[in-house]
Amino acid sequence: MFGPQKGALPSTVELLDEWLRRLAPLPGVGSAPGGGAAGDVGAALLALGAEMTPGAPLIRELTHFDSRPGTADLCLTAEGKVDAGTDAGKTISAVVDACAKAAVPCVVLGGTLTPDADRLYGRGATAVLPIGKGRNRGAVPLRLPAHAGPVAELPPIAAE
């Protein structure tokens, strides 16, 4: 599923899928939620007896992130590919949520974007911008809320 996102060719994806099917019968591996994270490291660790812990809440707790947005004027966060998965519980979505709650503008940067990246605006992202040369959906204008203060005086920004 994530092979093409990481640059795997279709023939390589077929080979990787076959190897993963061989691991599926191992206890706790098969269809464990999050087992495919980080190149299936989650599945490998589950096979060795590890317990699954959702990553975004863990990262927020370990970094004391929830106490920080209120002290910031702007938050920048980034991911290699911003897509539907980004909005489905990844750390980026947790950062956007925390910034929206604290009324801090949050700009999401992605090496590549898919049309699903727009979902982050619904969570409260101020802007979702592509920064890489990979497949992007085109220029994305910077969207600033009216309460952004002096930042709102900046000219429109777009990236390709």
Side-chain angles (χ1 to χ4, degrees), residues 19-48:
W19 290 346
L20 292 174
R21 277 191 284 280
R22 292 179 188 175
L23 291 176
L26 294 173
V29 176
S31 60
D40 288 313
V41 170
L45 293 172
L46 286 171
L48 295 172

Side-chain angles (χ1 to χ4, degrees), residues 4-152:
Q5 177 183 343
K6 304 300 182 195
L9 299 173
S11 59
T12 305
V13 171
E14 288 179 28
L15 182 62
L16 293 170
D17 282 346
E18 176 56 33
W19 290 346
L20 292 174
R21 277 191 284 280
R22 292 179 188 175
L23 291 176
L26 294 173
V29 176
S31 60
D40 288 313
V41 170
L45 293 172
L46 286 171
L48 295 172
E51 293 181 26
M52 187 64 70
T53 300
L58 178 63
I59 295 299
R60 285 172 70 176
E61 178 185 339
L62 292 174
T63 62
H64 307 285
F65 184 83
D66 291 338
S67 66
R68 297 173 189 238
T71 65
D73 294 321
L74 174 69
C75 177
L76 299 175
T77 186
E79 183 167 35
K81 183 175 185 178
V82 181
D83 56 16
T86 306
D87 185 47
K90 285 191 171 182
T91 300
I92 297 287
S93 62
V95 169
V96 171
D97 290 346
C99 288
K101 183 177 177 183
V104 173
C106 183
V107 177
V108 178
L109 305 171
T112 60
L113 303 180
T114 69
D116 294 321
D118 275 348
R119 293 180 183 184
L120 294 172
Y121 286 115
R123 295 187 95 89
T126 304
V128 181
L129 304 172
I131 57 173
K133 293 183 179 180
R135 283 182 245 153
N136 289 306
R137 60 182 171 155
V140 182
L142 178 64
R143 299 180 188 178
L144 294 171
H147 70 278
V151 177

